[in-house]
Amino acid sequence: MSSTQQDQRQAGAKERVNDFDALIVGAGFSGLYALHKLRDEMGLSARVLEAGDGIGGTWYWNRYPGARSDTSSWIYCYSFSEELRQEWQWSERYPQQNEVLSYLEYVADKFDLNRDIQLRTRVTEATFDEETERWEVRTETGDVVTARFLIAALGALSASNVPDIPGIENFAGDWYHTAEWPHEGVDFTGKRVGVIGTGATGTQVATELAEQADHLTVFQRTPNYALPLGNHPLDTEDRRRYKENYEEIWEWVRHNFSGHDYDLIGKNLQEATPEERERAFQERYDRGGFGLWLGNYDDLLENREANDIVSEWVREKIQERIDDPVTAEKLTPRDHAFGTKRVPLEAGYYEIFNRDNVKLVDVKKAPILEITETGLRTQDGDYELDVLVFATGFDAMTGPFERIDIRGRGGELLCDKWAEGPRTYLGLMSAGYPNLFTITGPQSPSVLTNIPVAIEQHVDWVSGAIQYMLDNGLSVVEPTRDAEDEWVEHSQEVAYATLFPQSATWYMGANIPGKPQVFLPYLGGLGPYRQKCDEVAANDYEGFAFANQKETNA
Ligand code: FAD
Ligand code: NA7
């Protein structure tokens, strides 16, 4: 072979390497399964680009002390491989961060996924080329990759939110956001630590830091209705039970409302006697987990009077656990209805406020003014700190999309199209952005579910749609504007029929200044949503428009 031929061949090879049938962005639960499905089951060429220098997504980034899943381990995993289900042994009901990460690394090894995952590669731009009908994707590291199908497996909770508090550059101590935690860990021994935020993450991290730090100050803007986690180790018998019943359990969670292992009671609260209610609440509280939230009376999240009863019940439970009545009152939520904000699960959280080394500061009453060289200044005074931990959450659902310059037909920027709130059909695609699929995107059940179940449903549906295109010689797919408009309207209607939009939450975009206030996830339930997606597919992808390969190439 001549050197020119060799050069040409190498150039050709390079081009091929940068061009794929499918490009997947993100290597968490979503991206890993999408790669397996598209590459191994469908035979497509596929590549994953991942910003982190390891796989695992959430479980790669969130390494703060106390990080663990709030979903039962045997359903916080994949169901697609019976062999995998039988092989993997969970050690606890609610696994810690490192155990979930090990699981995902095991999956990547087992299915030989790593060879098609490019780490340390943040996608910055994605442009749909109307001539070639391919996506051109650019990365921070200068790669240009093209692909026919673009799968945004970006994570609904991957864009961390560090609030814009003046003075952070002056702080002489160390500060961390929980979702960007150093891999080598942080030694809190002998340190005065401040935690900002009391959501699901703040609750977990503060409980651990109360033990590890010399002194802990928790800066709370909104108290939450945290419920007991009820964690326990799993023994051989527990494992045998769930392994033998895997398919049954999974069929249930695939089709129920939340993808979690809870069902509603099947009647409204007012239909139960006070004694029955008390028993129902107490049983769920004692068992731990989300039972009181997702497995309670049917109308709790829709009917204010019913909600008032359970809200008051949880408030009393919180107060019973705190010695100092002033602190107890500060920790008692009174500004929102139980369950309309993500319910944190806790293991000893309330008791940390009975310790001498823990102080609670109400920053709603006396807001944070600035970060100083020595700590935090609120309207009430100065708090001296060596370490500051931001447990301040995420720019949820739309944030990861806004951090990429995504341009569809006519060069329209996705974040311009979504300026008043996301517009999608089924939370799967947005009109004007052909062949761009979103996994657990806005207006899909996503964060209101046990997410791996929602991820499998999405990836299966997307791969079904791609297979349909391949079988029928179709080049591009996108939703019709009508179908999209109807879905946007429907998804808001469903949310506004409940109490959820009355609370200022990240479900509503309320945690990010300037973010449009629309309800982001789809509240119609995973089971009904799955049924709708299946019906759409069965009706030749009703609501989607396809272009024919032959026509477009002519
Ligand atoms: P992620 O795991 O977030 O992965 C997305 C990946 O995309 C990330 O690795 C990110 O680096 C990458 N990425 C994003 N943008 C780019 C870009 N521009 N370029 C390149 N790469 C990019 N869900 C539950 O159901 N139950 C729970 O108990 C639970 N606990 C949680 C606890 C914490 C602390 C957090 C933060 C989330 C929790 N979740 C939970 C939600 C969790 O995010 C999902 O369950 C699941 O891990 C999401 O997987 P994913 O692959 O969709 O997204
Ligand atoms: P959340 O639920 O958004 O919690 C963030 C917390 O940080 C919450 O208490 C916020 O108060 C607080 N916060 C945010 N910004 C500020 C400022 N500027 N000042 C004071 N306090 C602030 O995020 P999490 O990480 O706990 O949970 C998100 C999801 O990811 C959840 O599903 C977990 O499982 C993982 P607020 O309530 O807004 O008043």
Side-chain angles (χ1 to χ4, degrees):
M1 193 189 291
S2 72
S3 63
T4 323
Q5 272 175 318
Q6 222 163 7
D7 286 351
Q8 278 169 349
R9 204 152 171 189
Q10 272 166 4
K14 196 165 173 243
E15 234 164 58
R16 273 203 302 280
V17 169
N18 284 324
D19 184 67
F20 299 91
D21 294 328
L23 187 68
I24 299 156
V25 187
F29 265 102
S30 299
L32 297 179
Y33 180 46
L35 176 61
H36 170 65
K37 189 88 191 173
L38 297 173
R39 187 194 70 180
D40 303 336
E41 291 187 17
M42 294 176 64
L44 301 181
S45 66
R47 169 62 57 98
V48 176
L49 303 182
E50 164 57 54
D53 61 8
I55 64 150
T58 289
W59 305 98
Y60 166 86
W61 294 104
N62 291 263
R63 297 171 188 243
Y64 58 86
R68 71 169 72 239
S69 160
D70 284 341
T71 304
S72 305
S73 48
W74 52 92
I75 51 165
Y76 194 69
C77 55
Y78 296 113
S79 75
F80 69 84
S81 160
E82 177 59 13
E83 198 176 278
L84 170 67
R85 292 198 301 200
Q86 293 303 329
E87 274 168 12
W88 186 260
Q89 312 277 358
W90 291 108
S91 70
E92 291 178 276
R93 178 176 176 193
Y94 298 109
Q96 288 194 51
Q97 169 269 331
N98 57 353
E99 192 171 4
V100 184
L101 182 58
S102 301
Y103 168 76
L104 290 170
E105 287 170 345
Y106 180 83
V107 171
D109 284 342
K110 181 176 171 66
F111 296 97
D112 193 18
L113 300 178
N114 292 307
R115 68 185 156 93
D116 287 310
I117 301 174
Q118 189 175 318
L119 300 172
R120 292 174 287 279
T121 308
R122 181 169 291 283
V123 169
T124 50
E125 293 171 39
T127 306
F128 183 70
D129 182 330
E130 293 184 62
E131 281 295 307
T132 60
E133 296 184 324
R134 300 184 86 77
W135 282 92
E136 186 178 279
V137 169
R138 288 171 187 271
T139 73
E140 214 167 47
T141 34
D143 309 82
V144 183
V145 187
T146 55
R148 182 169 167 197
F149 299 106
L150 181 60
I151 318 291
L154 305 174
L157 296 164
S158 66
S160 53
N161 164 44
V162 179
D164 191 13
I165 303 172
I168 194 152
E169 66 286 357
N170 303 327
F171 185 51
D174 296 317
W175 68 268
Y176 308 95
H177 188 283
T178 47
E180 286 159 29
W181 202 259
H183 289 199
E184 62 281 10
V186 179
D187 184 1
F188 289 99
T189 323
K191 299 275 169 65
R192 296 161 304 174
V193 182
V195 172
I196 305 180
T198 53
T201 300
T203 303
Q204 288 181 336
V205 78
T207 309
E208 285 295 315
L209 295 188
E211 291 282 340
Q212 294 181 20
D214 186 49
H215 189 272
L216 173 69
T217 311
V218 177
F219 298 94
Q220 171 193 271
R221 189 163 66 183
T222 312
N224 265 310
Y225 297 89
L227 296 175
L229 177 69
N231 193 25
H232 57 79
L234 296 175
D235 60 21
T236 318
E237 180 52 24
D238 295 323
R239 285 198 205 97
R240 191 193 56 75
R241 214 173 312 119
Y242 75 70
K243 281 182 190 238
E244 275 179 7
N245 296 306
Y246 247 136
E247 202 38 43
E248 203 182 314
I249 297 169
W250 270 83
E251 268 308 282
W252 169 36
V253 299
R254 284 188 195 115
H255 295 98
N256 72 4
F257 195 83
S258 64
H260 283 275
D261 41 1
Y262 308 100
D263 272 334
L264 294 175
I265 289 176
K267 63 177 173 182
N268 290 340
L269 182 133
Q270 306 295 359
E271 295 168 52
T273 63
E275 295 73 32
E276 251 182 274
R277 277 180 221 157
E278 177 62 28
R279 224 177 16 253
F281 292 170
Q282 190 66 46
E283 267 171 24
R284 283 158 182 73
Y285 188 83
D286 291 344
R287 215 178 298 140
F290 290 136
L292 205 67
W293 183 28
L294 304 174
N296 207 330
Y297 291 104
D298 300 12
D299 58 342
L300 287 186
L301 299 170
E302 289 148 26
N303 176 328
R304 173 60 78 165
E305 280 171 29
N307 188 287
D308 283 347
I309 291 173
V310 71
S311 292
E312 187 51 29
W313 194 89
V314 181
R315 284 195 281 263
E316 281 170 21
K317 287 286 175 200
I318 293 170
Q319 297 220 335
E320 277 168 15
R321 292 171 58 183
I322 302 144
D323 299 342
D324 170 38
V326 177
T327 307
E329 186 49 34
K330 277 190 202 165
L331 284 162
T332 304
R334 298 195 187 276
D335 71 334
H336 67 281
F338 168 76
T340 56
K341 259 178 117 114
R342 162 63 150 86
V343 171
L345 295 184
E346 55 81 32
Y349 175 65
Y350 289 112
E351 285 73 15
I352 68 172
F353 298 100
N354 297 332
R355 298 170 65 123
D356 293 337
N357 71 331
V358 178
K359 183 176 172 66
L360 180 71
V361 175
D362 179 351
V363 294
K364 180 154 278 162
K365 198 159 149 232
I368 298 172
L369 298 178
E370 61 175 322
I371 297 171
T372 64
E373 193 183 340
T374 54
L376 206 65
R377 178 166 299 149
T378 74
Q379 257 175 18
D380 261 357
D382 282 6
Y383 297 87
E384 302 227 321
L385 304 168
D386 303 308
V387 184
L388 187 52
V389 174
F390 288 90
T392 42
F394 301 87
D395 184 350
M397 306 206 76
T398 51
F401 289 90
E402 275 163 26
R403 293 177 190 195
I404 306 176
D405 186 292
I406 301 175
R407 290 175 190 273
R409 289 196 190 280
E412 188 190 22
L413 263 177
L414 186 67
C415 62
D416 284 347
K417 180 180 171 188
W418 287 6
E420 305 295 316
R423 302 196 70 75
T424 76
Y425 181 38
L426 298 170
L428 279 160
M429 296 194 93
S430 191
Y433 298 81
N435 292 3
L436 166 60
F437 296 97
T438 58
I439 307 300
T440 68
Q443 289 159 358
S444 79
S446 182
V447 292
L448 293 171
T449 68
N450 169 30
I451 299 189
V453 185
I455 287 171
E456 284 195 348
Q457 186 265 336
H458 259 193
V459 172
D460 291 346
W461 191 94
V462 168
S463 54
I466 291 177
Q467 190 61 53
Y468 177 84
M469 292 173 72
L470 300 177
D471 293 345
N472 292 286
L474 303 168
S475 60
V476 289
V477 57
E478 64 188 292
T480 65
R481 297 271 167 185
D482 284 351
E484 180 170 289
D485 290 348
E486 269 175 42
W487 186 255
V488 173
E489 201 180 313
H490 167 67
S491 105
Q492 291 309 300
E493 252 171 39
V494 171
Y496 277 86
T498 72
L499 301 172
F500 277 85
Q502 296 176 23
S503 301
T505 64
W506 55 262
Y507 295 144
M508 285 291 289
N511 62 329
I512 305 294
K515 191 166 172 170
Q517 307 273 302
V518 293
F519 200 77
L520 293 167
Y522 178 62
L523 197 41
L526 183 64
Y529 171 81
R530 176 189 298 276
Q531 200 183 333
K532 167 77 182 165
C533 291
D534 289 349
E535 282 166 13
V536 164
N539 288 329
D540 287 331
Y541 293 89
E542 195 178 16
F544 289 93
F546 293 90
N548 187 296
Q549 204 140 31
K550 284 203 195 83
E551 284 167 20
T552 52
N553 289 345

